[in-house]
Amino acid sequence: MANPIRVAVTGAAGQIAYSILFRVASGQVFGQDRPVHLKMLEITPAMKALQGVAMELSDCAFPLLTKMDLTDSAEEAFDGINWVFMVGAKPRGPGMERADLILGNGPIFVGQGRALNRGASDVRAMVVGNPCNTNCLIAMSNSDIPKDRFSAMMRLDQNRSQSLLADKSGQPVSAVTNMAVWGNHSNNQYPDFENAKIGGKPAPQVINDQSWLQETFVKTVQNRGAEVIKARGASSAASAANAALDHVKSLIQPTPAGDWNSVAVCSDGQYGVDKGLIFGYPIQTKADGSYGVVEGLPMSPWAKAKFDAVHEELRKEREVVKHLLK
Ligand code: NAD
Ligand code: LMR
C-alpha cells in the first residue's frame, strides 16, 4: 500500500465537510489505491459534534481510512499535510451577499495561512469558505508557501453552468465542455458561454438564443447560490462538496485534451488581471501535475465588460482586507 495522503478539512463538523469527509475517505478523490489520513479542524465549541462525525466515519469501515485526527488547533491540523480543504467559515443568510462575510471570515484565513506555513512543506490548499477568492488571497498572503499551491473554488459555478447549458440544449451534461467562469465566486462572476462548447460546437451556435444566453443564463448562474439559500434555508452543501472534490481532481488529474476547468488561482497578469489577485480562469492540468491558465481566448466587447466588472470587484475586496494582507 502507498503512504497515506494527509488531508486536512477545516470546518469539519459543518454541512459541506459532512459530505467531503466521507467521499475523501472512500477514495473518490485521491484514488482507490491511496490510503487517507484525515486531519479535521474545528473551533472548540464544535469539537463534540466533530467527535460524532468521526464516529460515523469510523462506522463506515472505509478500507482506505487509516487515521483520523480531531483538533481545534490549526497548527496540529496542518502538520505534515498534503492537501487542505479550507471550508470552515460562516455561510451567508438570506438577503446577504458573499462579500458581506469578508470582515467576519477574513481573519480566519490570516491565522490559518500562518499555520500552514509552520506545519506543511508539501501542501496544496483549496478555499471554499466565502468570499472564497479573497479568503484565499488572505491565506496565501500570510504564508510563504508557493502561490501556485493556492486555489479557490469556481467549480460549483462551472457545474451549474454546464448543467444549465445541457438542459437548454437537450444534450447530456457530458457534452458541455470548455466552460470557463471568470473572476470571482460572486454575483458578478462571468460564466463564459461564448467559448463554451456543446457536442464540440460553440454553445451560441447550438443554443441560438443570444438574449437567453446573455440574460437568463448568466443571471441564473450568478444568483444560483442565493436561490438555493432561499429554497433550502441554508446554503448549498452537497453540491458545494461535490464541486470541491471535482476541483481537486481537476488539479491532480490531466485535463482531457482541448478542454479546461474553472479554478481561481493567483493571477500572473494573464488577460490583464492584477498580479496576485485570486481570479477564476480556465485551467489545464498537464500529465506531469503542473497546471496553467489557458491563454488567448477571445471575448466580445459585451463579455469584456462583464470581465472588467468582476476584475474591479476583486480589486475592491482586496482593498477592504488590505489590513489582513502581509
Ligand atoms: P457550516 O456553518 O455548516 O459549517 C462551517 C463550519 O466551520 C462550522 O462547523 C464552524 O464551527 C466551522 N468554523 C468556523 N470558524 C472556524 C475556524 N476558524 N476554524 C475551523 N472551523 C471553523 O457552513 P457550510 O455550509 O459548511 O459552509 C462553509 C463555508 O463555505 C461558508 O462560508 C459558505 O458560504 C461557503 N460556501 C462556499 C461555496 C463556494 O462555491 N465557494 C459553496 C457553498 C458554501
Ligand atoms: C453557493 O454558491 O452556493 C455558495 O457560495 C453559498 C452562497 O452563499 O451562495
Side-chain angles (χ1 to χ4, degrees), residues 92 98 130 156 160 185 225-226 229 235-236:
R92 64 173 164 160
R98 297 180 187 92
N130 275 324
L156 185 52
R160 287 168 172 164
H185 175 63
I229 291 171
S235 69
S236 62

Side-chain angles (χ1 to χ4, degrees), residues 122-266:
D122 179 22
V123 64
R124 297 181 79 174
M126 67 85 65
V127 178
V128 174
N130 275 324
C132 61
N133 300 57
T134 298
N135 286 337
C136 183
L137 172 70
I138 295 169
M140 182 181 81
S141 152
N142 283 281
S143 154
D144 295 331
I145 289 162
K147 292 184 174 17
D148 64 359
R149 288 168 172 254
F150 287 86
S151 58
M153 192 164 96
M154 305 297 291
R155 187 53 178 261
L156 185 52
D157 311 301
Q158 174 186 330
N159 289 350
R160 287 168 172 164
S161 301
Q162 286 178 304
S163 198
L164 261 172
L165 291 180
D167 195 46
K168 179 74 176 173
S169 63
Q171 300 219 25
V173 166
S174 56
V176 183
T177 59
N178 303 81
M179 192 64 244
V181 183
W182 299 94
N184 198 6
H185 175 63
S186 74
N187 61 1
N188 283 308
Q189 63 184 266
Y190 170 50
D192 181 355
F193 59 83
E194 292 181 352
N195 287 298
K197 293 191 176 139
I198 304 175
K201 295 190 187 135
Q205 259 178 41
V206 179
I207 300 172
N208 190 10
D209 184 343
Q210 191 72 350
S211 98
W212 183 86
L213 288 166
Q214 287 190 344
E215 291 301 319
T216 311
F217 168 70
V218 170
K219 289 205 172 86
T220 303
V221 177
Q222 288 175 332
N223 295 318
R224 184 65 158 193
E227 289 302 313
V228 170
I229 291 171
K230 240 193 257 171
R232 240 172 65 83
S235 69
S236 62
S239 58
N242 181 65
L245 269 49
D246 284 347
H247 172 113
V248 171
K249 282 191 279 184
S250 72
L251 285 171
I252 60 178
Q253 294 172 4
T255 312
D259 201 358
W260 53 71
N261 289 299
S262 302
V263 181
V265 296
C266 181

Side-chain angles (χ1 to χ4, degrees), residues 48-67:
K48 182 149 185 246
L50 184 56
Q51 279 166 17
V53 174
M55 285 182 216
E56 285 207 73
L57 279 161
S58 185
D59 293 349
C60 290
F62 289 122
L64 291 170
L65 182 58
T66 55
K67 196 169 176 205

Side-chain angles (χ1 to χ4, degrees), residues 30-42:
F30 298 103
Q32 293 302 328
D33 53 356
R34 191 78 200 264
V36 178
H37 173 174
L38 284 176
K39 295 176 70 83
M40 298 180 269
L41 177 67
E42 256 301 344

